[in-house]
């Protein structure tokens, strides 16, 4: 097991009705608030109105319309609002896209240059305004981690950045906010959760036994409860377990004692950068193909362990067992209603080589579980068509 630092920073308020704690977690940081959100769903379900009532003593400014793949153009608007109004706290109300945008807004508010600089070079991130998150979608884990991903459609770049200062000071996680999610978002969000775990589970470190056991439990939770949430959208048990799985999947817990580059996320970032598709859907399409592409005598034992410990597959032949686990993964995504080919989401083969080159350029794939070059990535994308 590698050395690691695990800094539990975010004050998480989890459960039904926890929004009432909002003044308690916001007011110590200031009364000038920028509320960042996406579409109009928080107005339809009452969250918007309740927030205004709870923070009636605050001066609230708003930035709405954050995109599913948050764009730097929206971030720039948020930064300008912060600087113009002397914002003291950024309140992110939404899923990972809203929280990611809020992180870079909070950093850009304390930076003299273009906020895109903070995405391209995380070393430029310094002071960050306090961020409070109200989570409405289980997917990215952004409510308790240091990461943010922003798209620049002018350059067809979707890049990740990170800073410990990006970690929200508090996160309110009420599973009832997931009741009204469309099935498509529930399924895509679950695929995103599972992909976060896969990226950390399939790494070269073989001695982080406890960390891998935790990862397997999160995957089993997704497999158990996503179908329940799809069938019974207001099932609190299912929603609560998926929401907590999302948070735990990417807050440092499943990478403790491990390390290395990711694979499917850098590849999918290129799909989103060029075609603006749903992130979780792209991950679900690419992941089983990546698994099959890298399956060999060296990786088979890990994939077989995954098949046995997560899916309960009892096949004794290691290679067969590994293949069965990959098949089960693809079938699960398909049964959740996720498109399983790139053509189904409007992607053809015209830009595969360009996307493959950028994935290698920006993704650190030479340090992944199985190192990949441009030809490898292009082949995985072709397998995904």
């Amino acid at each position: 097991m590698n050395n690691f630092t695990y800094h539990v920073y975010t004050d998480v308020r989890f459960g039904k009705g926890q929004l009432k704690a909002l003044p308690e977690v916001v007011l110590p940081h200031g009364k000038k608030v920028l509320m960042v959100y996406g579409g109009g769903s928080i107005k339809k379900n009452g969250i918007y109105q309740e927030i205004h009532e709870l923070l009636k003593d605050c001066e609230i400014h708003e930035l709405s319309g954050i995109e599913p793949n948050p764009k730097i153009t929206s971030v720039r608007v948020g930064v300008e609002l912060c600087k113009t109004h002397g914002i003291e706290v950024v309140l992110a109300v939404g899923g990972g896209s809203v929280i990611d945008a809020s992180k870079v807004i909070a950093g850009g508010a304390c930076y003299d240059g273009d906020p895109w600089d903070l995405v391209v070079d995380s070393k430029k991130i310094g002071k960050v305004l306090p961020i409070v998150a109200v989570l409405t979608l289980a997917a990215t884990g952004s409510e308790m981690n240091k990461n943010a991903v922003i798209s620049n459609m002018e350059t067809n770049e979707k890049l990740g950045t990170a800073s410990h200062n990006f970690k929200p000071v508090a996160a309110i996680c009420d599973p009832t906010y997931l009741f009204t999610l469309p099935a498509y978002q529930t399924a895509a969000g679950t695929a995103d959760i599972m992909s976060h775990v896969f990226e950390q589970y399939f790494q070269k470190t073989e001695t982080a036994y406890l960390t891998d056991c935790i990862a397997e439990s999160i995957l089993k939770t997704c497999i158990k409860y996503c179908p329940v949430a799809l069938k019974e959208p207001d099932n609190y048990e299912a929603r609560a377990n998926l929401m907590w799985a999302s948070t735990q999947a990417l807050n440092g817990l499943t990478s403790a004692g491990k390390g290395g580059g990711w694979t499917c996320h850098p590849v999918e970032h290129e799909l989103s950068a060029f075609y603006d598709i749903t992130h979780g859907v792209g991950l679900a399409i690419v992941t089983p193909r990546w698994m099959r592409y890298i399956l060999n005598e060296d990786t088979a034992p890990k994939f077989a362990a995954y098949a046995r410990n997560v899916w309960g597959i009892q096949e004794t032949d290691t290679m067969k067992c590994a293949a069965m686990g990959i098949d089960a993964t693809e079938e699960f995504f398909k049964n959740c209603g996720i498109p399983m080919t790139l053509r189904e989401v409007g992607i053809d083969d015209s830009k595969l080589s360009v996307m493959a080159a950028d994935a290698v350029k920006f993704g650190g794939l030479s340090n992944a579980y199985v190192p990949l070059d441009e030809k490898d990535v292009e082949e995985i994308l072709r397998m995904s068509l």
Side-chain angles (χ1 to χ4, degrees):
M1 182 179 285
N2 300 334
N3 293 355
F4 64 89
T5 298
Y6 184 51
H7 182 197
V8 181
Y9 177 76
T10 306
D11 178 357
V12 178
R13 306 296 177 96
F14 189 97
K16 191 181 300 184
Q18 287 284 20
L19 190 62
K20 65 181 182 295
L22 192 60
E24 181 183 343
V25 298
V26 169
L27 292 177
H29 305 286
K31 291 187 175 182
K32 292 186 176 183
V33 178
L34 177 66
M35 184 164 78
V36 183
Y37 56 99
S41 62
I42 66 168
K43 293 184 178 180
K44 295 177 182 178
N45 59 27
I47 297 174
Y48 175 90
Q49 291 83 354
E50 189 174 356
I51 287 174
H52 274 273
E53 291 171 6
L54 288 166
L55 299 182
K56 61 182 182 296
D57 295 330
C58 293
E59 177 187 315
I60 300 178
H61 300 269
E62 299 182 18
L63 174 63
S64 62
I66 298 299
E67 306 85 358
N69 289 305
K71 297 178 174 53
I72 191 60
T73 48
S74 296
V75 170
R76 289 175 179 136
V77 174
V79 168
E80 185 60 31
L81 286 170
C82 288
K83 292 182 176 180
T84 299
H85 299 289
I87 296 299
E88 298 169 307
V89 185
V90 178
L91 176 62
V93 187
S97 297
V98 169
I99 303 172
D100 281 10
S102 297
K103 290 176 178 179
V104 184
I105 289 169
C110 306
Y111 178 69
D112 290 335
D114 184 2
W116 183 245
D117 296 344
L118 308 182
V119 180
V120 175
D121 185 1
S122 62
K123 294 178 182 177
K124 293 185 178 181
I125 302 169
K127 181 181 177 182
V128 175
L129 294 179
I131 303 158
V132 174
V134 177
L135 188 64
T136 64
L137 174 66
T140 72
S142 192
E143 67 276 5
M144 199 182 173
N145 67 37
K146 64 181 181 178
N147 309 308
V149 179
I150 304 295
S151 296
N152 187 331
M153 303 312 291
E154 294 178 1
T155 59
N156 292 126
E157 291 177 301
K158 180 178 180 180
L159 303 178
T161 187
S163 168
H164 285 290
N165 295 336
F166 274 174
K167 292 180 181 179
V169 296
I172 293 173
C173 304
D174 185 338
T176 64
Y177 293 166
L178 308 183
F179 287 177
T180 57
L181 283 178
Y184 191 76
Q185 285 189 322
T186 297
T190 301
D192 198 3
I193 298 168
M194 294 177 69
S195 182
H196 291 154
V197 179
F198 290 145
E199 300 279 24
Q200 298 165 98
Y201 183 79
F202 292 102
Q203 289 291 344
K204 296 175 183 178
T205 306
E206 299 178 353
T207 54
Y209 177 79
L210 175 58
T211 299
D212 280 351
C213 287
I214 293 169
E216 290 165 354
S217 295
I218 295 172
L219 291 169
K220 290 170 69 175
T221 297
C222 292
I223 293 163
K224 175 180 174 67
Y225 284 110
C226 183
V228 177
L230 292 173
K231 185 177 180 180
E232 305 170 29
D234 59 351
N235 186 303
Y236 185 84
E237 178 182 336
R239 294 299 193 179
N241 278 279
L242 287 173
M243 181 172 266
W244 193 228
S246 170
T247 302
Q248 296 300 318
L250 197 57
N251 65 4
L253 189 62
T254 55
S255 63
K258 306 190 74 173
W262 288 19
T263 304
C264 292
H265 269 71
V267 173
E268 196 290 321
H269 285 175
E270 298 309 317
L271 298 175
S272 295
F274 280 87
Y275 295 95
D276 203 24
I277 66 170
T278 300
H279 178 54
V281 170
L283 290 170
I285 294 171
V286 169
T287 295
R289 280 63 183 230
W290 163 73
M291 289 178 166
R292 290 195 182 96
Y293 188 80
I294 68 166
L295 180 61
N296 56 40
E297 293 297 328
D298 292 330
T299 62
K302 185 66 175 181
F303 279 107
Y306 160 67
R308 291 171 180 137
N309 298 339
V310 173
W311 292 102
I313 295 170
Q314 298 302 313
E315 170 62 50
T316 56
D317 182 272
T318 299
M319 186 63 74
K320 287 182 180 179
C321 185
M324 291 170 69
I326 297 171
D327 290 343
T329 305
E330 182 172 9
E331 190 66 20
F332 173 77
F333 290 146
K334 185 184 298 183
N335 290 339
C336 288
I338 300 175
M340 289 309 297
T341 67
L342 294 179
R343 294 192 189 280
E344 288 178 77
V345 293
I347 299 176
D348 58 22
D349 62 358
S350 61
K351 295 183 175 67
L352 297 190
S353 60
V354 177
M355 293 190 294
D358 285 350
V360 172
K361 176 182 177 181
F362 297 116
L365 299 186
S366 62
N367 194 36
Y369 178 50
V370 174
L372 302 178
D373 60 22
E374 294 178 22
K375 291 183 179 179
D376 295 319
V377 176
E378 184 171 350
E379 180 58 29
I380 291 169
L381 290 173
R382 289 195 182 280
M383 291 168 62
S384 304
L385 288 170

